Every structure is written in C-alpha cells, then in structure tokens.
Amino acid sequence: MSNFETRLIELRQDLHRNPELGFQETRTKAIVADRMRALGIEVHEGAGVVGVLQSGGGNKAIGLRADMDALPITETSVHDYVSTAPGVMHACGHDGHTAMLLGAAERLSQDPAFDGTVVFLFQPNEEHGLGARAMIDEGVLEQFPVEEVYAIHNLPGAPTGQVSTRTGIICNSETLFEIDVQGQGGHASMPQTGVDAITVGAEIVLALQTVVARKLAPASGAVISVTEFLTDGQRNVLPGNATLKGDFRARSPEDRIAIERFMRQISEGVAAAHGIKASVTFDTQFVETINSEAPVEAVYRAAESAGCDLIRDRDPMSFSEDFAQFSAAVPGCFLLLGNGETGPNAQPLHASDYNFNDALLPIGTEFWVKLVQDRLPLQKDHHS
C-alpha cells in the first residue's frame, strides 16, 4: 500500500472517530480547509468549505461535491476507530466521501494535468436536506460559477468500486407530511358519544395506500409511509385528536404534486364521512435529483478510464439526496460507487454497524482525477 493510500485511510478513520452532525461540522471543516491550504489550493469558508484549483488558461469550471455530516445514531461496530461522540456516527459514508475528494484535491494539485478550474464543494448537513441550499443561498454558484457539478455516494451491497448511474431521475424527492384529525374525545365504554380519532386516523392510514396502488402509474416508484401515530387518549379515554406523521417519495414533480392532492382529498374525505375535520400540511425537504446527459456520459468515460466496473442506466434510487439542489441549478451527475458485498460494507446505509470501505478511497480518488481530465482536457499545444 502506498504512503498516499495509508494517509487517506488514516484521514477517513480519523473523521469516523470524530463525527459531527449537520451544521456542527466545525472540526471536519477545519481539517478540510487546512489540508487544502497546505496543498496551495485557494480556500473559502462559509456554510461549507470551497476549494478552487486552476490550471492552464481554460475558462471552463466544474464542481465536485462531498458531504461532511454524520447521523444521530449510536454506533455498534467492532473495529478500532469507532465513534468517540456519544450517539453520533458516520453511518452513511460521508467520512469516506470527504476523504476521497481531499485525496483528489491532493492528486490534482500535485499533478495538474488539466486545463480549467476545479471547484471542490464540501457541504454540511446533507442528511436534513439543508446544506446545499445554505451554500447556494450564500452565493456559492455566483461566486464560483461552474458549468457542471458531480457527486459520489457509496452503495452498500454493490461490488467494490462498481460505478452506476443514469440520465434523468436518479434519486426520489422526499416530502414530510402531518395530518391532524380533530375528533371528539369520550369515555372508552361509550364510544357512540364522541368521534374516536384513532378509528378515523386508522382509516386514513389504510386509505393512503390506495394513492400508490390505484392513483399513480404502476411503475411510478412512489412510496408513502406513515411513521408516527400520536393521540391524546388514555387507558379509558378515547382520543379527540390524532396526528399522523410520515413521508412520501416521488420520482417527478408531477407525481409529487398529485400525491399531495390525493392525500389531502383522502384525509379530508375520510374525516368528513365521520362528521369531523382533518388538516394536512406538507414540507418537501428534498426535490428529485435529476442527472443531465452530458455529465452522465462523462462519468461513464471516467469510470472506464479509471478501470471501474460500470453499470449504465441503472434503476433510480428510492432515497433522497441534497445534491438535487446543485443539479437543479447546474447540469450534473450523481453516481453510486459500490461499497462491497460482505460484512459491514454491505450493511444498509444508516445501519448502526455499517462501515465505509477503505478500499474505495484510491478508487474514488482515481475516478475524480479521470473525470477532471475528461471535462477539462489539456490543450494539444500545452505541455505540463
């Protein structure tokens, strides 16, 4: 193993030991900024950390994004670099994403075999869908205008280093919902004197499943999940109020808007059938992540150039991704990188015993370098 790979692994495991939640990535941001400054890369700090590396006289600029935040999960791993922050863990591999992009920054700064500008975007708070918007609201895309933007996410269960992506929808949107049922409380022995909010709420939960099953196209990829059912009932008190919470995922803005309409109709309609009212509120935290054709084709070429196994036109992922804010503003590509098929590397994202595969660090770094060289090729008359 080379000294470069050893240092990358040490960096990743240090980040894993010291995870930080969204918008609290103080130590992580300092490490990212210090390492890029030590490489002679121009650094700008705000909500996230931005590095700017120019080479040659080319005018084109591309953005490469990595996420830095961890999750509020108690780690159950058995390796020797487990989290030292109680109840906080890198259970999604953002430690690895950050290390890979810093590895690429080092390689590209030491051997700038490209012509143009690379903008390294280290974003906070991806998990809650707030970090990309915070950077964009600060003006990151005006201050550092890029023509294309890219992001890697590891994929547990897929062969180590396998690249997969697609043109068009790659990740679903996520919309949180809250349904408030206003019934009439009463005595558990005399349900006829009130309107039991649990019964009405339960009807709504079941009826909501008809949205995907009967109101959308069979291959829509939409998912509706009620994840909380809260009431003010007691042992012998029928609840007068119930609150249902959850989220739904969609693969197009049209479906997202339609689902909201159907959910409101069903909730209000079921409540009306019982002579009471229900109100529904929605909060879209992640929009759909859309990949553009030219960046996807570039990813295909870079993957092959880096010697990666490549899956073209993969199925969309059902999870949501804050990178959507960047790729909605600038043509981009979000790609998956196989994290391994066995052990902790194959455990689901957000599992308490998941672990990023350190074997990916040199692979991801090499991929980033090949992508930069593809999008910002050296001019034929230029000799580096």
Side-chain angles (χ1 to χ4, degrees), residues 35-103:
R35 288 196 172 230
M36 286 197 292
R37 284 197 186 97
L39 296 168
I41 296 172
E42 178 187 326
V43 174
H44 302 262
E45 296 181 76
V49 183
V50 179
V52 181
L53 180 63
Q54 293 177 295
S55 179
N59 294 323
K60 184 174 180 178
I62 65 170
L64 310 181
R65 189 220 68 168
D67 33 21
M68 300 184 291
D69 56 320
L71 285 153
I73 292 173
T74 298
E75 184 163 13
T76 60
S77 305
V78 293
H79 50 66
D80 59 3
Y81 48 91
V82 296
S83 169
T84 58
V88 183
M89 175 194 175
H90 270 297
C92 203
H94 297 184
D95 47 348
H97 303 164
T98 296
M100 284 191 295
L101 192 55
L102 282 172

Coordinates of all heavy atoms in Angstrom, one line a residue, residues 35-103:
R35 N -6.2 21.2 5.1 CA -5.5 20.3 4.1 C -5.4 20.9 2.8 O -4.4 20.8 2.1 CB -6.2 18.9 4.1 CG -6.0 18.1 5.4 CD -6.3 16.7 5.2 NE -5.9 15.9 6.4 CZ -5.2 14.8 6.3 NH1 -4.8 14.3 5.1 NH2 -4.8 14.1 7.4
M36 N -6.5 21.6 2.3 CA -6.4 22.2 1.0 C -5.5 23.4 1.0 O -4.8 23.6 0.0 CB -7.9 22.6 0.6 CG -8.7 21.4 0.2 SD -10.2 21.9 -0.8 CE -11.1 22.8 0.4
R37 N -5.4 24.2 2.1 CA -4.5 25.3 2.1 C -3.0 24.8 2.1 O -2.2 25.4 1.4 CB -4.7 26.1 3.4 CG -5.9 27.0 3.4 CD -5.8 28.1 4.5 NE -7.1 28.8 4.5 CZ -8.1 28.6 5.3 NH1 -8.0 27.6 6.2 NH2 -9.2 29.3 5.3
A38 N -2.8 23.7 2.7 CA -1.4 23.1 2.7 C -1.0 22.6 1.3 O 0.1 22.5 1.0 CB -1.4 21.9 3.7
L39 N -2.0 22.3 0.5 CA -1.8 21.9 -0.9 C -1.7 23.1 -1.8 O -1.4 23.0 -3.0 CB -2.9 21.0 -1.4 CG -3.0 19.7 -0.7 CD1 -4.4 19.0 -1.0 CD2 -1.9 18.8 -1.0
G40 N -1.8 24.3 -1.3 CA -1.8 25.5 -2.1 C -3.1 25.8 -2.9 O -3.1 26.6 -3.8
I41 N -4.2 25.2 -2.4 CA -5.5 25.4 -3.0 C -6.1 26.6 -2.4 O -6.1 26.8 -1.1 CB -6.3 24.2 -2.9 CG1 -5.7 23.0 -3.7 CG2 -7.8 24.4 -3.3 CD1 -6.4 21.7 -3.5
E42 N -6.8 27.5 -3.2 CA -7.5 28.6 -2.7 C -8.7 28.2 -1.9 O -9.5 27.4 -2.4 CB -7.9 29.5 -3.9 CG -8.7 30.7 -3.5 CD -9.2 31.4 -4.8 OE1 -8.5 31.4 -5.8 OE2 -10.3 32.0 -4.8
V43 N -8.9 28.6 -0.6 CA -9.9 28.1 0.2 C -10.9 29.2 0.6 O -10.4 30.4 1.0 CB -9.3 27.4 1.5 CG1 -10.4 27.1 2.5 CG2 -8.5 26.2 1.1
H44 N -12.2 29.0 0.6 CA -13.2 29.9 1.1 C -14.1 29.1 2.1 O -14.6 28.0 1.8 CB -14.0 30.4 -0.1 CG -13.2 31.1 -1.1 ND1 -13.1 32.5 -1.2 CD2 -12.5 30.6 -2.2 CE1 -12.3 32.8 -2.2 NE2 -11.9 31.7 -2.8
E45 N -14.3 29.7 3.2 CA -15.1 29.1 4.3 C -16.4 29.9 4.5 O -16.4 31.1 4.6 CB -14.3 29.0 5.6 CG -13.1 28.1 5.5 CD -12.4 28.0 6.8 OE1 -12.8 27.3 7.7 OE2 -11.3 28.7 6.9
G46 N -17.5 29.1 4.5 CA -18.8 29.7 4.8 C -19.7 28.6 5.5 O -19.2 27.9 6.4
A47 N -20.9 28.4 5.0 CA -21.7 27.3 5.5 C -20.9 26.0 5.3 O -20.9 25.1 6.1 CB -23.0 27.2 4.7
G48 N -20.2 25.8 4.1 CA -19.4 24.7 3.9 C -17.9 25.2 3.7 O -17.6 26.2 4.1
V49 N -17.2 24.4 2.9 CA -15.8 24.8 2.6 C -15.6 24.6 1.1 O -16.0 23.5 0.5 CB -14.7 23.9 3.3 CG1 -13.3 24.3 3.0 CG2 -14.9 23.9 4.8
V50 N -15.1 25.6 0.4 CA -14.9 25.6 -1.0 C -13.4 25.7 -1.3 O -12.7 26.6 -0.8 CB -15.7 26.7 -1.7 CG1 -15.5 26.7 -3.2 CG2 -17.2 26.6 -1.4
G51 N -12.9 24.8 -2.2 CA -11.6 24.9 -2.7 C -11.6 25.2 -4.2 O -12.4 24.6 -4.9
V52 N -10.7 26.1 -4.6 CA -10.6 26.4 -6.0 C -9.2 26.2 -6.5 O -8.2 26.7 -6.0 CB -11.0 27.9 -6.2 CG1 -10.9 28.3 -7.7 CG2 -12.4 28.2 -5.7
L53 N -9.1 25.3 -7.5 CA -7.8 24.9 -8.1 C -7.9 25.2 -9.6 O -8.7 24.6 -10.3 CB -7.5 23.5 -7.8 CG -6.2 22.9 -8.4 CD1 -5.0 23.6 -7.7 CD2 -6.2 21.4 -8.1
Q54 N -7.0 26.1 -10.1 CA -6.9 26.4 -11.5 C -5.6 25.9 -12.1 O -4.6 25.8 -11.5 CB -6.9 27.9 -11.7 CG -8.3 28.6 -11.3 CD -8.2 30.1 -11.4 OE1 -7.5 30.8 -10.7 NE2 -9.0 30.6 -12.3
S55 N -5.7 25.5 -13.4 CA -4.6 25.1 -14.1 C -4.7 25.5 -15.6 O -5.8 25.3 -16.1 CB -4.4 23.5 -14.0 OG -3.3 23.1 -14.7
G56 N -3.7 25.9 -16.2 CA -3.7 26.3 -17.6 C -4.6 27.6 -17.8 O -4.9 28.3 -16.8
G57 N -5.0 27.8 -19.0 CA -5.7 29.0 -19.3 C -7.2 28.8 -19.7 O -7.9 29.7 -20.1
G58 N -7.7 27.6 -19.4 CA -9.0 27.2 -19.8 C -10.1 28.0 -19.0 O -9.8 28.2 -17.8
N59 N -11.2 28.3 -19.6 CA -12.2 29.1 -18.9 C -13.3 28.2 -18.2 O -14.1 28.7 -17.4 CB -12.9 30.0 -19.9 CG -12.0 31.1 -20.4 OD1 -11.2 31.6 -19.7 ND2 -12.2 31.5 -21.7
K60 N -13.3 26.9 -18.6 CA -14.3 26.1 -18.0 C -14.1 25.7 -16.6 O -12.9 25.5 -16.2 CB -14.5 24.8 -18.9 CG -15.6 23.9 -18.5 CD -15.8 22.7 -19.4 CE -16.9 21.8 -19.0 NZ -17.1 20.7 -19.9
A61 N -15.2 25.6 -15.8 CA -15.0 25.2 -14.4 C -16.1 24.1 -14.1 O -17.2 24.2 -14.6 CB -15.3 26.4 -13.5
I62 N -15.7 23.1 -13.3 CA -16.6 22.1 -12.9 C -16.6 22.0 -11.4 O -15.5 22.3 -10.7 CB -16.3 20.7 -13.5 CG1 -15.0 20.2 -13.1 CG2 -16.4 20.8 -15.0 CD1 -14.7 18.7 -13.5
G63 N -17.7 21.5 -10.8 CA -17.8 21.4 -9.3 C -17.8 19.9 -8.9 O -18.5 19.1 -9.6
L64 N -17.1 19.6 -7.9 CA -17.1 18.2 -7.3 C -17.5 18.4 -5.9 O -16.9 19.1 -5.1 CB -15.7 17.6 -7.4 CG -14.9 17.6 -8.7 CD1 -13.6 16.9 -8.5 CD2 -15.8 17.0 -9.8
R65 N -18.6 17.6 -5.5 CA -19.2 17.8 -4.2 C -19.0 16.6 -3.3 O -19.1 15.4 -3.7 CB -20.7 18.0 -4.2 CG -21.3 18.4 -2.9 CD -22.6 17.8 -2.6 NE -22.6 16.3 -2.4 CZ -23.5 15.6 -2.0 NH1 -24.7 16.1 -1.7 NH2 -23.4 14.3 -1.9
A66 N -18.7 16.8 -2.0 CA -18.6 15.8 -1.0 C -19.4 16.3 0.2 O -19.4 17.5 0.5 CB -17.2 15.5 -0.6
D67 N -20.1 15.4 0.9 CA -20.9 15.8 2.1 C -20.1 15.4 3.4 O -19.3 14.5 3.4 CB -22.2 15.1 2.1 CG -22.3 13.7 1.5 OD1 -21.2 13.1 1.4 OD2 -23.3 13.3 1.1
M68 N -20.3 16.2 4.5 CA -19.4 16.1 5.6 C -20.1 15.6 6.9 O -19.4 15.2 7.9 CB -18.7 17.4 5.9 CG -17.9 18.0 4.8 SD -17.0 19.5 5.3 CE -18.4 20.7 5.4
D69 N -21.4 15.6 7.0 CA -22.1 15.4 8.2 C -22.4 14.0 8.5 O -22.4 13.1 7.7 CB -23.5 16.2 8.2 CG -24.4 15.8 7.0 OD1 -23.9 15.6 5.9 OD2 -25.6 15.7 7.2
A70 N -22.6 13.7 9.8 CA -22.8 12.4 10.4 C -24.3 12.3 10.8 O -25.1 13.2 10.5 CB -21.9 12.1 11.5
L71 N -24.7 11.2 11.4 CA -26.1 10.9 11.8 C -26.2 10.7 13.3 O -25.3 10.3 14.0 CB -26.6 9.7 11.1 CG -26.9 9.8 9.6 CD1 -26.7 8.5 8.9 CD2 -28.3 10.3 9.4
P72 N -27.4 11.0 13.9 CA -27.6 10.8 15.3 C -27.9 9.3 15.6 O -29.0 8.9 16.0 CB -28.8 11.7 15.6 CG -29.6 11.7 14.3 CD -28.5 11.7 13.2
I73 N -26.9 8.5 15.4 CA -27.0 7.0 15.6 C -25.9 6.6 16.5 O -24.8 7.1 16.4 CB -26.9 6.3 14.2 CG1 -28.1 6.7 13.3 CG2 -26.7 4.8 14.4 CD1 -28.0 6.1 11.9
T74 N -26.2 5.7 17.4 CA -25.2 5.1 18.3 C -24.5 3.9 17.6 O -25.2 2.9 17.3 CB -25.8 4.6 19.6 OG1 -26.4 5.8 20.3 CG2 -24.8 4.0 20.5
E75 N -23.2 4.0 17.4 CA -22.5 3.0 16.7 C -22.4 1.7 17.4 O -22.1 1.7 18.6 CB -21.1 3.5 16.3 CG -20.3 2.6 15.4 CD -19.1 3.2 14.7 OE1 -18.8 4.4 15.1 OE2 -18.6 2.6 13.8
T76 N -22.6 0.6 16.7 CA -22.4 -0.8 17.3 C -21.3 -1.5 16.6 O -21.2 -2.7 16.8 CB -23.7 -1.6 17.2 OG1 -24.1 -1.7 15.8 CG2 -24.8 -0.9 18.0
S77 N -20.4 -0.9 15.8 CA -19.3 -1.5 15.1 C -18.3 -2.0 16.1 O -18.3 -1.6 17.3 CB -18.6 -0.5 14.2 OG -19.6 0.0 13.3
V78 N -17.4 -2.9 15.6 CA -16.4 -3.5 16.5 C -15.0 -3.2 16.0 O -14.0 -3.7 16.6 CB -16.6 -5.1 16.6 CG1 -17.9 -5.4 17.3 CG2 -16.5 -5.7 15.2
H79 N -14.8 -2.3 15.0 CA -13.5 -2.0 14.6 C -12.8 -1.1 15.6 O -13.5 -0.6 16.5 CB -13.5 -1.4 13.2 CG -14.5 -0.3 13.0 ND1 -14.4 0.9 13.6 CD2 -15.6 -0.2 12.2 CE1 -15.4 1.7 13.3 NE2 -16.2 1.1 12.4
D80 N -11.5 -0.7 15.3 CA -10.8 0.0 16.4 C -10.8 1.5 16.2 O -10.0 2.3 16.7 CB -9.3 -0.5 16.4 CG -8.6 -0.4 15.1 OD1 -9.2 0.2 14.2 OD2 -7.4 -0.8 15.0
Y81 N -11.8 2.0 15.3 CA -11.9 3.5 15.2 C -13.3 3.9 15.3 O -13.8 4.8 14.6 CB -11.3 4.0 13.9 CG -11.7 3.2 12.6 CD1 -12.8 3.6 11.9 CD2 -11.0 2.0 12.2 CE1 -13.3 2.8 10.8 CE2 -11.4 1.3 11.1 CZ -12.5 1.7 10.4 OH -13.0 1.0 9.3
V82 N -14.1 3.3 16.2 CA -15.5 3.6 16.4 C -15.6 5.1 16.9 O -14.7 5.7 17.4 CB -16.2 2.7 17.4 CG1 -16.2 1.2 16.9 CG2 -15.5 2.7 18.8
S83 N -16.8 5.6 16.7 CA -17.1 7.0 17.1 C -16.8 7.2 18.5 O -17.2 6.4 19.4 CB -18.6 7.3 16.8 OG -19.0 8.5 17.4
T84 N -16.2 8.4 18.8 CA -16.0 8.8 20.2 C -17.0 9.8 20.6 O -17.0 10.3 21.8 CB -14.6 9.4 20.3 OG1 -14.5 10.5 19.4 CG2 -13.5 8.4 20.0
A85 N -18.0 10.1 19.7 CA -19.0 11.1 20.1 C -20.3 10.3 20.4 O -20.8 9.6 19.5 CB -19.3 12.0 18.9
P86 N -20.7 10.4 21.6 CA -21.9 9.6 22.0 C -23.1 9.9 21.2 O -23.5 11.0 21.0 CB -22.1 10.0 23.5 CG -20.8 10.5 24.0 CD -20.2 11.1 22.8
G87 N -23.7 8.8 20.6 CA -25.0 9.0 19.9 C -24.8 9.6 18.5 O -25.8 9.9 17.8
V88 N -23.6 9.7 18.0 CA -23.3 10.3 16.7 C -22.4 9.3 15.9 O -21.4 8.8 16.5 CB -22.7 11.7 16.8 CG1 -22.5 12.3 15.4 CG2 -23.5 12.6 17.7
M89 N -22.7 9.1 14.6 CA -21.9 8.1 13.9 C -22.0 8.5 12.4 O -23.0 9.0 11.9 CB -22.6 6.8 14.1 CG -22.0 5.7 13.2 SD -23.0 4.2 13.2 CE -22.0 3.2 12.0
H90 N -20.9 8.2 11.7 CA -20.8 8.3 10.3 C -21.4 7.0 9.7 O -20.7 6.0 9.4 CB -19.4 8.5 9.7 CG -19.0 9.9 9.6 ND1 -19.7 10.8 8.7 CD2 -18.1 10.7 10.2 CE1 -19.1 12.0 8.8 NE2 -18.2 11.9 9.7
A91 N -22.7 6.9 9.6 CA -23.4 5.7 9.2 C -23.8 5.8 7.7 O -24.6 4.9 7.3 CB -24.6 5.4 10.1
C92 N -23.4 6.8 7.0 CA -23.7 6.9 5.6 C -22.5 7.1 4.7 O -22.6 7.2 3.5 CB -24.7 8.1 5.4 SG -25.7 8.1 4.0
G93 N -21.3 7.1 5.3 CA -20.1 7.1 4.5 C -19.6 8.5 4.1 O -18.7 8.6 3.2
H94 N -20.2 9.5 4.7 CA -19.7 10.9 4.4 C -18.3 11.1 4.8 O -17.6 11.9 4.2 CB -20.6 11.9 5.0 CG -22.1 11.9 4.6 ND1 -23.0 12.8 5.0 CD2 -22.7 11.1 3.7 CE1 -24.2 12.5 4.4 NE2 -24.0 11.5 3.6
D95 N -17.8 10.3 5.8 CA -16.4 10.4 6.1 C -15.5 10.0 4.9 O -14.5 10.6 4.6 CB -16.1 9.5 7.3 CG -16.7 8.1 7.3 OD1 -17.5 7.9 6.4 OD2 -16.3 7.3 8.1
G96 N -16.0 8.9 4.2 CA -15.3 8.4 3.0 C -15.4 9.3 1.9 O -14.4 9.6 1.1
H97 N -16.6 9.9 1.7 CA -16.8 10.9 0.6 C -15.8 12.1 0.7 O -15.2 12.5 -0.3 CB -18.2 11.4 0.5 CG -19.2 10.3 0.4 ND1 -20.6 10.5 0.7 CD2 -19.1 9.0 0.0 CE1 -21.2 9.4 0.5 NE2 -20.4 8.4 0.1
T98 N -15.7 12.6 2.0 CA -14.8 13.7 2.2 C -13.4 13.3 2.0 O -12.6 14.1 1.3 CB -15.0 14.2 3.7 OG1 -16.3 14.7 3.8 CG2 -14.0 15.3 4.0
A99 N -13.0 12.2 2.5 CA -11.6 11.7 2.3 C -11.2 11.5 0.8 O -10.1 11.9 0.4 CB -11.3 10.4 3.1
M100 N -12.1 10.9 0.0 CA -11.9 10.7 -1.4 C -11.7 12.0 -2.1 O -10.8 12.2 -3.0 CB -13.0 10.0 -2.0 CG -13.1 8.5 -1.7 SD -14.2 7.6 -2.8 CE -15.8 8.3 -2.3
L101 N -12.5 13.0 -1.8 CA -12.4 14.3 -2.5 C -11.1 15.1 -2.1 O -10.5 15.7 -2.9 CB -13.6 15.2 -2.3 CG -13.8 16.4 -3.2 CD1 -13.7 16.0 -4.7 CD2 -15.1 17.2 -3.0
L102 N -10.7 14.9 -0.8 CA -9.5 15.5 -0.4 C -8.3 14.8 -1.1 O -7.3 15.4 -1.4 CB -9.3 15.5 1.1 CG -10.1 16.5 1.9 CD1 -10.1 16.2 3.4 CD2 -9.6 17.9 1.6
G103 N -8.4 13.5 -1.3 CA -7.4 12.8 -2.0 C -7.3 13.2 -3.4 O -6.2 13.4 -3.9

